[in-house]
Amino acid sequence: MAEEGPHDPVVLVVTGVSGSGKSTVASLLAERLGLPFADGDDFHTPESVARMRAGHPLDDEARAPWLARIRAWIDARLKAEEGGVVACSALKRGYRRTLIGDREDVRIVYLEGSRDLIGRRIAARRGHFMPAGLLDSQFAALEPPGPDENPIVVGIEDGPDAIVAAVAARLGRTPGDACG
């Protein structure tokens, strides 16, 4: 697929393990591109949040309704022809397939980082329901997107502003662009 033009509606699904910076990057990216932002964490039920807070990873059955709610948000953005940016771990290919299907107007932005770097980030953050003890389960479940998924892969070493600039450049969105 060719890169999007500056005015094509697109939904970006910012993916990666917990602590990779999904929410931060996705919110900054949405702001830069003038698109609505949603955080996948906000689509979890209180029961799922409590389960993760207690140190228990969600299984596929518990994730299915969560993914369906995020897919509905994506569908609404596309129907409105306005685009959007959503932060969502979408660790497995099957989860991404549920969210994206065969739609070319939904793109994956995969935030790639080492276990060590992400572990340090999780240890330093406060107030998030995902405990550091679940990071290993995140990496165990991770199926990095392949070339057939047309992902925008960005390393997380350089920080949020550099990541957003790299993604915007891959999308053909320059700082002076009226849409971004």
Side-chain angles (χ1 to χ4, degrees), residues 153-175:
V153 179
V154 185
I156 62 169
E157 296 79 17
D158 292 332
D161 291 332
I163 294 168
V164 168
V167 173
R170 289 276 307 272
L171 291 169
R173 311 275 173 111
T174 61

Side-chain angles (χ1 to χ4, degrees), residues 33-134:
L33 300 177
L35 297 171
F37 164 71
D39 193 321
D41 288 346
D42 296 337
F43 293 86
H44 282 298
T45 63
E47 296 79 18
S48 290
V49 171
R51 181 176 174 172
M52 289 182 282
R53 184 168 281 144
H56 305 291
L58 299 181
D59 57 20
D60 287 349
E61 183 179 337
R63 282 189 184 97
W66 171 67
L67 291 168
R69 287 187 292 275
I70 295 170
R71 167 105 185 200
W73 184 87
I74 292 169
D75 292 345
R77 302 308 328 140
L78 294 174
K79 184 176 181 183
E81 297 182 0
E82 296 175 355
V85 181
V86 61
C88 173
S89 54
L91 299 175
K92 294 183 179 180
R93 178 180 288 267
Y95 303 162
R96 295 187 297 272
R97 195 173 307 119
T98 295
L99 294 173
I100 298 166
D102 294 329
R103 300 179 291 192
E104 292 186 358
D105 47 1
V106 182
R107 293 286 306 272
I108 297 166
V109 176
Y110 172 55
L111 303 181
E112 185 175 54
S114 72
R115 164 70 176 82
D116 182 57
L117 173 60
I118 294 171
R120 289 192 313 267
R121 287 182 176 185
I122 287 180
R125 74 181 179 183
R126 301 287 177 254
H128 194 276
F129 64 82
M130 180 70 85
L134 287 183

